[in-house]
Amino acid sequence: MKFFVDTADTKEIADLAATGLLDGVTTNPSLIHKSGRSFLEVVAEICKIVPGPVSAEVVALDHETMMKEAAVLRKIAGNVAIKVPLTLDGLKTCKKLSDDGVKVNVTLCFSANQALLAAKAGAAFISPFVGRHDDYGLDGMQLIADIRLIYDNYDFDTEILVASVRHPIHVLESARIGADVMTAPPAVIRALFKHPLTDKGIEGFMADWAKTGQSII
Ligand code: G3P
């Protein structure tokens, strides 16, 4: 499963990229707002840090303006993936851009039928929001399983990009189901490293090492 980080914080991106773990980055208008930085500048900087797809979202709601915004975003770097909302105009834009060889990430997906539409429109990625799905008392991971089944039934190439990931169990379940990608905030990716027995083990080894009075360097 590929790992994307869901943030516009370039320091976090650079730090996580150094582990070799990051296959891409996703941003959205809320994350850009949180960064307090210029959208175009921050996307350009991220594209230099991570060679994989960097999702940059259009903010227009009509197809024509979406295409104009996508043209600006595409000029930033070759690894920009255009993110569009799962609406009729969003999917028109997806079809047009995909036919033109651009990777499109269709976002705000909350049903398997919506995911089917995005695949038929040629999306490179579909982003079902599992956390927000759970917030409504629904089962976000069941949505991923349904999309996996449907995409496999028809051999769609669209990659399932699990989004709105809130905790490590979402990551584990995504991998079990066979999602192609998951995008998570830096805190969730950092939590994947943690295990109390790892910490306890290090503590024990350090205590015993100190008793030897030796040093390696
Ligand atoms: O990038 C979109 C998505 O990951 C948002 O997550 O936590 O705001 O529902 P969240």
Side-chain angles (χ1 to χ4, degrees):
M1 184 167 70
K2 292 176 205 163
F3 274 33
F4 289 5
V5 66
D6 198 28
T7 186
D9 181 334
T10 50
K11 269 196 191 143
E12 281 280 18
I13 295 168
D15 196 38
L16 290 168
T19 64
L21 270 177
L22 284 194
D23 302 295
V25 178
T26 50
T27 66
N28 63 38
S30 304
L31 294 170
I32 296 300
H33 172 63
K34 196 173 163 195
S35 77
R37 297 187 53 192
S38 138
F39 180 29
L40 303 188
E41 268 175 40
V42 85
V43 170
E45 201 177 317
I46 295 169
C47 285
K48 284 188 194 137
I49 303 170
V50 178
V54 175
S55 290
E57 189 162 339
V58 297
V59 289
L61 297 177
D62 66 285
H63 170 61
E64 284 71 26
T65 320
M66 281 183 192
M67 287 301 295
K68 285 183 193 154
E69 290 180 350
V72 174
L73 299 174
R74 286 171 66 180
K75 279 196 203 123
I76 297 175
N79 55 334
V80 167
I82 304 297
K83 209 172 181 188
V84 301
L86 209 154
T87 60
L88 194 142
D89 283 65
L91 291 193
K92 269 192 202 169
T93 306
C94 173
K95 170 83 180 116
K96 196 129 178 78
L97 291 172
S98 303
D99 284 351
D100 202 18
V102 178
K103 277 192 168 134
V104 178
N105 177 358
V106 177
T107 190
L108 290 166
C109 169
F110 292 94
S111 81
N113 276 339
Q114 286 182 317
L116 180 56
L117 298 180
K120 286 177 73 71
F125 303 103
I126 182 68
S127 289
F129 278 30
V130 291
R132 292 193 197 183
H133 210 69
D134 293 351
D135 291 344
Y136 273 80
L138 300 165
D139 184 350
M141 295 321 300
Q142 185 55 51
L143 173 61
I144 302 304
D146 287 345
I147 299 171
R148 179 75 285 157
L149 180 74
I150 291 167
Y151 281 10
D152 289 351
N153 279 348
Y154 299 100
D155 277 336
F156 283 121
D157 292 333
T158 303
E159 294 190 51
I160 303 173
L161 195 172
V162 182
S164 187
V165 164
R166 302 273 171 78
H167 46 70
I169 300 293
H170 277 149
V171 180
L172 177 66
E173 288 299 319
S174 299
R176 277 197 176 135
I177 293 166
D180 302 284
V181 192
M182 74 88 203
T183 189
V188 173
I189 295 181
R190 290 182 187 283
L192 298 176
F193 288 89
K194 300 296 284 178
H195 195 290
L197 290 180
T198 305
D199 295 342
K200 199 170 172 229
I202 289 174
E203 210 178 286
F205 287 155
M206 291 307 99
D208 288 340
W209 178 248
K211 287 177 209 154
T212 70
Q214 299 178 47
S215 71
I216 296 175
I217 51 166

